[in-house]
Amino acid sequence: MAETDQAKPLASFRVHPRSDDEEKALKTKNRRRKFKLCGCIATILLLLLVIVIVILVFTVFKVKDPKVTTNEIQLTNFDVNVGQLLTGQIKINITMVVNMSIKNSNRASFRLGNSTTSVYYRGISVADAQIPPGIVIKARKTSGLNVTVDVMADRLVSSPDLLGDVRNGEMIMTTYSVIPGRVKMLFIKKHVEVKMNCTMTINISKRGIEDLICKRKVKL
Ligand SMILES: *[C@@H]1O[C@H](CO)[C@@H](O)[C@H](O)[C@H]1NC(C)=O
Ligand SMILES: *[C@@H]1O[C@H](CO)[C@@H](O)[C@H](O)[C@H]1NC(C)=O
Ligand SMILES: *[C@@H]1O[C@H](CO)[C@@H](O)[C@H](O)[C@H]1NC(C)=O
Ligand SMILES: *[C@@H]1O[C@H](CO)[C@@H](O)[C@H](O)[C@H]1NC(C)=O
Ligand SMILES: *[C@@H]1O[C@H](CO)[C@@H](O)[C@H](O)[C@H]1NC(C)=O
Ligand SMILES: *[C@@H]1O[C@H](CO)[C@@H](O)[C@H](O)[C@H]1NC(C)=O
């Protein structure tokens, strides 16, 4: 009796010994569970990676527009002879240097393309200057850019307003600069274009620039 009493719990513990099939099923179930866990972790890691990449792309690797500033415009040459102008013998020789600085706040270098500066006088294009491409501004650096512009006297003289402006002692000119460039961040290349217009008043007797107002437009 005592034996059977002791044997009973054992018997109830394993009433039906596992068949091979059951064993296999259990193993595959375990394996599946492991696979599921692995898959879950892998998915989470992948998601985290994607999130980190997205955050980096929108923060550290976000392409920021370069800050172009016109510091000053100097008249390195200014020869407008009023007397000669009045008698029809015109002698005009104007050269200006547009002093700009470009601040690159990206974590990659900024390469300038073909940049141009044009000067307008009362709607007439009086000068064009090209900045040779290939200037590279290193990451998080500021670089100066001098553009020398020679005003074409014949074009300036073609304006009917010149005489009056010279008599009044001041001329208003506008510079129009287009600075295209490229920022290469990791595998992404981004084109940037900065447009800069400056309006200045030239005081003829002083041979100097009095008011310089600049406007900037950026296309990313
Ligand atoms: C303008 O003036 C500069 C310096 O005085 C001179 O070198 C240049 O040849 C002049 N240009 C013209 C077109 O007269
Ligand atoms: C350009 O401007 C900067 C800052 O105002 C100045 O240090 C530099 O000498 C200027 N360059 C020219 C050519 O005027
Ligand atoms: C700059 O202009 C020249 C001629 O106008 C052209 O051949 C060259 O491809 C241009 N470079 C860039 C970077 O746009
Ligand atoms: C601009 O001109 C100034 C003075 O002539 C010079 O010191 C500076 O290096 C020039 N900058 C560039 C970028 O050519
Ligand atoms: C040009 O500058 C001179 C000297 O600073 C000044 O007396 C004159 O009024 C100025 N002319 C104009 C048109 O602003
Ligand atoms: C600069 O001037 C040009 C021509 O007048 C105009 O088309 C352009 O919109 C101006 N750009 C800015 C930034 O003011």
Side-chain angles (χ1 to χ4, degrees):
M1 275 303 272
E3 265 182 48
T4 47
D5 270 357
Q6 273 181 349
K8 250 185 185 165
L10 266 174
S12 67
F13 182 67
R14 194 165 273 183
V15 186
H16 308 290
R18 267 186 219 144
S19 69
D20 277 0
D21 281 354
E22 273 177 329
E23 199 87 22
K24 248 188 216 159
L26 203 70
K27 265 190 189 159
T28 34
K29 209 172 162 189
N30 273 341
R31 213 181 292 148
R32 264 196 212 131
R33 214 177 271 158
K34 263 187 203 157
F35 266 130
K36 256 189 199 161
L37 197 66
C38 280
C40 245
I41 290 170
T43 311
I44 287 169
L45 284 179
L46 201 68
L47 264 175
L48 279 176
L49 193 68
V50 167
I51 289 168
V52 165
I53 287 172
V54 166
I55 288 172
L56 284 179
V57 162
F58 283 101
T59 57
V60 177
F61 295 113
K62 187 177 193 292
V63 175
K64 299 174 197 87
D65 59 296
K67 300 275 178 298
V68 179
T69 319
T70 301
N71 302 313
E72 58 176 342
I73 297 178
Q74 285 181 328
L75 295 171
T76 50
N77 240 332
F78 190 81
D79 191 358
V80 177
N81 197 307
V82 186
Q84 281 172 325
L85 198 68
L86 289 171
T87 55
Q89 286 178 303
I90 297 145
K91 196 187 162 224
I92 291 174
N93 188 350
I94 305 174
T95 307
M96 49 180 91
V97 176
V98 183
N99 179 342
M100 290 185 270
S101 50
I102 304 172
K103 184 183 171 193
N104 176 19
S105 43
N106 289 297
R107 276 163 209 272
S109 56
F110 176 64
R111 178 183 285 269
L112 268 71
N114 283 334
S115 311
T116 55
T117 295
S118 308
V119 182
Y120 288 83
Y121 169 69
R122 291 202 178 250
I124 302 169
S125 161
V126 294
D128 290 296
Q130 253 98 40
I131 305 154
I135 296 169
V136 176
I137 301 159
K138 289 203 185 108
R140 297 172 154 266
K141 286 272 188 293
T142 302
S143 173
L145 192 66
N146 302 330
V147 188
T148 304
V149 192
D150 288 309
V151 172
M152 285 169 275
D154 53 338
R155 292 211 197 158
L156 193 62
V157 160
S158 74
S159 170
D161 300 302
L162 185 65
L163 213 64
D165 279 354
V166 170
R167 278 205 197 109
N168 287 335
E170 50 176 37
M171 291 161 78
I172 294 171
M173 289 205 190
T174 306
T175 65
Y176 183 27
S177 303
V178 181
I179 302 163
R182 195 184 69 195
V183 179
K184 210 164 130 187
M185 195 82 83
L186 296 178
F187 43 86
I188 309 160
K189 264 190 213 168
K190 195 132 193 193
H191 288 271
V192 184
E193 194 178 72
V194 181
K195 284 182 181 175
M196 186 110 190
N197 286 4
C198 294
T199 303
M200 59 190 151
T201 306
I202 300 173
N203 182 323
I204 293 170
S205 61
K206 217 166 80 179
R207 294 166 183 243
I209 288 160
E210 283 188 332
D211 301 305
L212 182 64
I213 301 157
C214 295
K215 264 191 219 151
R216 183 176 92 94
K217 202 156 75 183
V218 182
K219 203 166 76 188
L220 266 180

